[in-house]
Amino acid sequence: MRIGILTSGGDCPGLNAVIRGAVLKGTQIHGHEYVGFRDGWRGVVDADIVPLGRKDIQGIAKQGGTILGTSRTNPFEGRGGVERITENLERHGIDAMIAIGGEGTLAAAKRLTDAGLKIVGVPKTVDNDLGATDYTFGFDTAVQIATDAMDRLRTTGDSHSRCMVAEVMGRHVGWIALHSGMASGAHAILIPEQKTSIDQVVEWVQSAYDRGRAPLVVVAEGFVPDHENDAHSERGLDAFGRPRLGGIGERLAPLIEERTGIETRATTLGHIQRGGTPTSYDRVLATRLGLAASDAVVDQRWGRMVALRGTDIVHVSFEEALDSLKTVPQNRYDEAAILFG
Ligand code: F6P
């Protein structure tokens, strides 16, 4: 068999480890040939294909980003569509695809599988928001980077007696904020799942300050203050029609300063959270998912995604994978909230 791999959507530490795992097992154990599509679905639509042999994947598990490139291209828009993709695959003798991506990528993979194409999915998102898998690779790295950044912000906060606001990614879920905020001892963690009033934030900040602490407020980019309806978005929509988030931290900082009189600064961590070397946890998880994806091709599990349940790798349908957004449950927020203020 000839298998094509693509990495699609936002880049994420661990993508290369998945590619390596799949190619190694696929070529060495299953006797398959592997190729890569450049820049996600863009490479599938344009038949932009590169060979992926053992030499090409040597030593890449520790590299961030993706050696194949990625994009947020929607394969059904512009020149794309089922007919053109099927034609490209036939012309290049590609029997099946492994699509590594998040919600947008898997939704596109499902549409293509429903149309008869042979696709296996691998979940990827630093946001950790796919319901069908316990953890996604990249999340652990993002949390570690955010925690390191917050430790640094706290030294400036302590030195200047300032309140520091750190904005992290996560789209419409608060996992990165919850974990990095707990790890760094934040005095308030603001997540999309919990409507919180500015009065409450101010109370937590003031109480930490009154104890002689420099308050740290961690806010997820998708947080919606209780007097608003939507997450802050000022950069339009992405290729899948989803709002590009970011900027809520900069909006909160002056409100906190005005209400408390405490000098307040905001930092948006942005893409730093997705960059660089994956943690060992993410390398291992990503490698295991890559190995399992190559097995899933042998077992012809089309329309299914490899996933983590506990410590086991399992298979779930694309429907199940897309069915629910994994939000932060109330009990996880409540246990963290004991530490606020
Ligand atoms: O889904 C991953 C993610 O990093 C989100 O946390 C964030 O909202 C978005 O991607 C940013 O996308 P882009 O890299 O296209 O700006």
Side-chain angles (χ1 to χ4, degrees):
M1 277 179 105
R2 194 163 197 240
I3 321 297
I5 300 194
L6 64 121
T7 52
S8 172
D11 75 322
C12 177
L15 284 167
N16 287 324
V18 180
I19 297 170
R20 175 173 165 273
V23 172
L24 269 183
K25 185 133 192 213
T27 56
Q28 307 307 299
I29 308 294
H30 301 312
H32 291 163
E33 186 190 343
Y34 273 70
V35 293
F37 295 104
R38 302 260 322 134
D39 304 337
W41 294 115
R42 207 269 311 151
V44 180
V45 171
D46 292 344
D48 189 352
I49 296 164
V50 290
L52 265 187
R54 189 164 191 170
K55 268 229 146 314
D56 303 302
I57 46 110
Q58 259 170 14
I60 64 168
K62 60 182 175 302
Q63 280 174 27
T66 161
I67 60 163
L68 293 175
T70 186
S71 68
R72 292 202 188 274
T73 302
N74 184 335
F76 294 97
E77 277 179 4
R79 296 181 306 277
V82 178
E83 254 174 55
R84 184 179 168 109
I85 292 173
T86 310
E87 216 177 274
N88 284 347
L89 297 180
E90 279 171 7
R91 190 151 33 93
H92 290 272
I94 297 170
D95 303 294
M97 290 191 275
I98 295 177
I100 313 169
E103 192 201 336
T105 309
L106 295 171
K110 179 181 175 330
R111 255 179 94 179
L112 291 169
T113 311
D114 290 346
L117 299 189
K118 298 174 174 172
I119 309 178
V120 164
V122 178
K124 171 245 48 159
T125 162
V126 289
D127 305 333
N128 199 36
D129 61 354
L130 287 173
T133 186
D134 287 353
Y135 281 99
T136 40
F137 64 85
F139 171 68
D140 187 62
T141 307
V143 169
Q144 190 55 56
I145 293 169
T147 304
D148 289 345
M150 283 163 203
D151 290 348
R152 288 170 195 278
L153 288 175
R154 292 196 72 164
T155 63
T156 295
D158 286 339
S159 305
H160 290 260
S161 298
R162 284 178 183 160
C163 170
M164 305 303 275
V165 177
E167 180 186 307
V168 296
M169 284 184 166
R171 214 181 281 279
H172 296 295
V173 302
W175 288 109
I176 299 178
L178 183 82
H179 280 227
S180 59
M182 276 185 94
S184 58
H187 301 98
I189 301 174
L190 310 178
I191 60 175
E193 294 86 343
Q194 296 287 332
K195 283 249 176 188
T196 310
S197 67
I198 301 299
D199 285 349
Q200 175 64 82
V201 178
V202 162
E203 199 183 306
W204 284 325
V205 166
Q206 192 67 60
S207 116
Y209 193 79
D210 291 346
R211 289 197 327 275
R213 307 305 311 278
L216 172 69
V217 176
V218 175
V219 59
E221 61 180 0
F223 170 68
V224 186
D226 76 343
H227 61 280
E228 292 185 14
N229 295 322
D230 298 308
H232 184 76
S233 169
E234 53 192 21
R235 293 183 292 124
L237 304 178
D238 70 13
F240 294 91
R242 299 172 302 191
R244 293 197 180 94
L245 304 180
I248 182 71
E250 288 289 354
R251 277 188 49 212
L252 282 177
L255 291 178
I256 294 171
E257 181 163 316
E258 194 185 298
R259 299 275 300 273
T260 59
I262 303 165
E263 197 181 6
T264 303
R265 294 282 193 275
T267 299
T268 303
L269 297 185
H271 292 87
I272 287 172
Q273 291 157 97
R274 293 206 324 236
T277 309
T279 59
S280 52
Y281 177 88
D282 280 339
R283 292 184 212 186
V284 172
L285 174 57
T287 302
R288 291 183 71 205
L289 292 171
L291 297 170
S294 107
D295 293 342
V297 167
V298 174
D299 298 336
Q300 307 199 5
R301 294 182 191 268
W302 317 131
R304 295 184 77 76
M305 178 187 91
V306 290
L308 182 72
R309 286 270 165 78
T311 53
D312 294 332
I313 305 292
V314 298
H315 305 93
V316 299
S317 66
F318 284 165
E319 283 90 343
E320 199 182 334
L322 293 164
D323 188 42
S324 64
L325 195 66
K326 188 173 65 203
T327 52
V328 173
Q330 189 65 43
N331 66 324
R332 286 296 312 273
Y333 176 79
D334 290 345
E335 78 187 0
I338 303 287
L339 310 166
F340 297 172

